[in-house]
Amino acid sequence: MFIEQVQNGSTRRVFTGFVVEANVAGSNIEILCNSFPELKERRISRTATAAVPQIEMLYTLMRGGGLSDEQIKIDGLENLPEEVFEVVTPAAGVVADGVKNIGPVSILGRDDLNLDGIPGSADFIGDFQRHETYAMTFATSALMLVAEEKGLLDIDLALSWLTVRSRYSIAPLPDGSTAGWNRENTLISPSRGELVLVRGLRTHRRWLRAPEQPSQLTDLDLGATHSSFVLPRMKQNLPLNMRQAISACARAAQGRDDIDRVTALWEAVEFYVGKTAVPALFSKSERRAIKRSLPKFGDQAKDGRLEMLLGDLNNPPLFVKFRRKIAIEGAPVSQNDIDLLSTLRKVRNDVVHGRSPNRPKTHEVNQGVAVVARILVYSVDSLG
């Protein structure tokens, strides 16, 4: 939510934040806003530390509360030394005899891993040490949280690769060799455990913790407070594209990785848009004139490609169809909302086309989900 002051034709933003409560009082709506409600919406996950500076723990707590690096200023944080960190997490659904390397990640058994010096109570350490298999990698950073994030991205990718590799569907490998195969074993998808151990090889700072700080919000109350959440009434037989749009938007709301959430968000938009028609930009006579002016290369592939592009002249981009459907259904969407979705669209396109995107900010993804959710509510209402 933005509040801007308009004076003499110029605007000045005076508040940026979120609505945390709204109450209807007669013809008025009382709204309570907060700049950083995320700091109160999470509870601190189980954590045990050793030799971790207080300023680093403060930074970790602030990041866990939802603040970005741009919103955090802690004196002395920049003086922490850069070093190599070992990142270790239990791996479920996989066993290994010895050390197996997958890219920068090692899959290894408990006996192949040094588990000395882990901070925490006996029960907490026991929860970490009771597993048979672990995934381990190394990451370089000045901050443990950054090293943890890098390491877990690599570990998640390695475990995802094992899932993909186990579904390989023919006997010969790309190099022509063959290997044994057992269907029963390949139906399991490896995953990492709840806890992660991070250890600095130089300063020996270390922690054992659950990296995801769980929500401490209450249950969704469909009683007096949120009785309107059953409105608008949902048809029993929603069109398939709307069912998929709602499911994709829910994945975007519930996901852990922000790029995965952006991808799911734009899946929701694509399902929502469906077969939305947009008035033709080029008339038949204009298309015929363009076709007559096209050069002839005498090459079937080249000429066919030009014909295909000509056929797409009146096939508008997704964003054009998206904005048209919003206008038809009347969802209240501002230019700021469109600009935000455009920014998130660029992140999605960069990933899809092999470019390295700037990772989206969590609060921007949350706002994007809220915008698409608002649009879907209006769409469900329009279906009656």
Side-chain angles (χ1 to χ4, degrees):
M1 175 178 179
F2 306 111
I3 297 178
E4 294 182 335
Q5 181 184 55
V6 181
Q7 188 174 13
N8 298 327
S10 61
T11 60
R12 180 173 67 92
R13 185 169 296 178
V14 295
F15 176 82
T16 301
F18 296 87
V19 176
V20 297
E21 187 176 347
N23 296 302
V24 178
S27 60
N28 297 321
I29 299 178
E30 298 176 353
I31 297 176
L32 175 65
C33 301
N34 193 321
S35 291
F36 300 113
E38 304 97 324
L39 292 175
K40 297 191 295 185
E41 292 174 348
R42 301 280 175 180
R43 66 173 182 265
I44 298 174
S45 56
R46 291 194 296 170
T47 303
T49 68
V52 180
Q54 292 180 347
I55 55 173
E56 183 163 22
M57 282 306 304
L58 179 60
Y59 169 81
T60 302
L61 294 173
M62 299 286 280
R63 278 284 309 277
L67 299 187
S68 65
D69 284 333
E70 291 79 6
Q71 296 168 315
I72 300 173
K73 175 62 176 176
I74 302 175
D75 290 337
L77 195 66
E78 68 281 0
N79 297 327
L80 291 174
E82 185 174 83
E83 62 179 307
V84 176
F85 289 91
E86 180 187 49
V87 181
V88 184
T89 184
V94 60
V95 294
D97 55 341
V99 180
K100 305 296 182 182
N101 295 319
I102 303 172
V105 175
S106 298
I107 307 296
L108 64 170
R110 182 174 54 218
D111 295 338
D112 299 308
L113 185 65
N114 177 11
L115 296 177
D116 296 334
I118 301 178
S121 65
D123 290 342
F124 192 23
I125 296 173
D127 288 344
F128 181 78
Q129 292 182 332
R130 62 182 173 83
H131 300 271
E132 294 295 327
T133 310
Y134 295 81
M136 180 186 71
T137 190
F138 296 93
T140 302
S141 177
L143 295 168
M144 296 181 69
L145 180 62
V146 175
E148 179 186 274
E149 291 172 341
K150 291 179 180 178
L152 291 181
L153 282 174
D154 284 341
I155 289 172
D156 286 342
L157 178 61
L159 296 178
S160 296
W161 169 247
L162 283 178
T163 298
V164 172
R165 177 61 184 83
S166 69
R167 270 61 171 183
Y168 184 71
S169 56
I170 59 175
L173 295 173
D175 64 1
S177 63
T178 57
W181 184 83
N182 183 306
R183 177 178 172 82
E184 182 178 340
N185 295 134
T186 64
L187 298 180
I188 296 175
S189 296
S191 60
R192 62 177 167 91
E194 174 194 9
L195 302 178
V196 60
L197 173 66
V198 179
R199 298 189 283 199
L201 303 188
R202 174 183 168 191
T203 62
H204 303 293
R205 44 181 162 156
R206 54 200 183 276
W207 68 36
L208 176 66
R209 73 182 200 117
E212 280 79 33
Q213 294 194 15
S215 169
Q216 62 179 6
L217 303 181
T218 59
D219 294 334
L220 182 61
D221 180 11
L222 295 180
T225 304
H226 294 140
S227 59
S228 64
F229 276 25
V230 299
L231 301 174
R233 301 292 182 186
M234 181 183 290
K235 291 177 59 177
Q236 292 189 12
N237 298 309
L238 278 180
L240 181 58
N241 70 304
M242 282 300 300
R243 296 170 68 94
Q244 294 300 322
I246 292 168
S247 297
C249 188
R251 292 201 312 274
Q254 299 163 351
R256 296 189 303 184
D257 180 80
D258 284 333
I259 289 182
D260 287 344
R261 296 175 66 202
V262 168
T263 302
L265 186 66
W266 278 97
E267 284 182 24
V269 170
E270 291 175 7
F271 282 122
Y272 162 75
V273 167
K275 295 182 179 180
T276 300
V278 175
L281 184 61
F282 293 89
S283 66
K284 288 184 179 179
S285 60
E286 288 172 332
R287 294 201 305 274
R288 284 196 296 266
I290 294 172
K291 185 176 182 178
R292 287 194 298 268
S293 67
L294 290 177
K296 297 296 182 182
F297 292 95
D299 182 291
Q300 185 176 0
K302 292 180 179 179
D303 291 338
R305 175 64 173 164
L306 285 176
E307 286 280 352
M308 184 179 69
L309 292 175
L310 181 62
D312 280 340
L313 282 178
N314 283 329
N315 185 17
L318 174 65
F319 229 106
V320 173
K321 293 191 287 186
F322 180 43
R323 298 192 70 160
R324 177 165 176 78
K325 184 159 187 178
I326 292 171
I328 292 172
E329 295 179 344
V333 178
S334 69
Q335 186 58 49
N336 281 335
D337 294 333
I338 293 297
D339 291 344
L340 172 63
L341 292 177
S342 179
T343 298
L344 297 178
R345 179 69 175 176
K346 184 179 185 305
V347 172
R348 179 260 180 201
N349 288 346
D350 284 346
V351 173
V352 169
H353 296 294
R355 299 185 291 267
S356 297
N358 293 321
R359 291 194 70 84
K361 297 180 176 63
T362 299
H363 73 273
E364 291 178 337
V365 183
N366 290 340
Q367 290 173 353
V369 171
V371 173
V372 174
R374 183 194 318 152
I375 292 168
L376 293 181
V377 168
Y378 269 76
S379 187
V380 168
D381 181 67
S382 73
L383 295 171

